[in-house]
Amino acid sequence: MKEKRTADDCIEFFNDIEERRAIDSPIPVFTSDNWDPFEEGLLNVYGFLEAPPYCGVGRKPDPILVPYPNLKYAKVCKKKKNGRLIEIIQRIVYGDPRR
């Protein structure tokens, strides 16, 4: 029986890629299907904590994980009807769409 993929599997995978990447080489371009833990794995390896702006009212917001500016990630989602491919949707998640 095939085990389900987890966010921890993604983090382990991206850490392995990062260990093998030369320090002077750019972060690779990543693509995936519509599987949400992929984003979490990328942010854990290719992201940093940033404090959101504080407007001076209430408690200061907790820091959030944001991607490095040079991280590029896109989702490629396939829509099917009756087992046939009817549409491919591409969506830029991280990175500049013009690049």
Side-chain angles (χ1 to χ4, degrees), residues 27-30 39 42-43 46 66-75 91-99:
I27 296 174
V29 175
F30 294 99
E39 289 180 46
L42 277 172
L43 281 180
Y46 297 105
V66 295
Y68 290 137
N70 55 346
L71 176 62
K72 297 173 192 82
Y73 168 52
K75 285 185 176 182
R91 185 172 70 89
I92 306 295
V93 180
Y94 304 128
D96 184 354
R98 296 171 297 197
R99 293 185 170 226

Side-chain angles (χ1 to χ4, degrees), residues 78-97:
K78 298 174 184 173
K79 279 189 166 183
K80 294 182 179 183
K81 187 174 183 179
N82 297 329
R84 301 192 79 130
L85 181 65
I86 59 169
E87 185 178 9
I88 296 176
I89 301 167
Q90 300 173 17
R91 185 172 70 89
I92 306 295
V93 180
Y94 304 128
D96 184 354

Side-chain angles (χ1 to χ4, degrees), residues 54-61:
Y54 177 59
C55 64
V57 177
R59 184 173 34 150
K60 287 187 178 181

Side-chain angles (χ1 to χ4, degrees), residues 20-53:
R20 296 167 191 260
R21 183 175 69 92
I23 194 73
D24 58 346
S25 68
I27 296 174
V29 175
F30 294 99
T31 61
S32 78
D33 55 6
N34 199 21
W35 189 54
D36 292 332
F38 208 85
E39 289 180 46
E40 180 184 339
L42 277 172
L43 281 180
N44 275 280
V45 177
Y46 297 105
F48 60 95
L49 285 174
E50 181 175 88

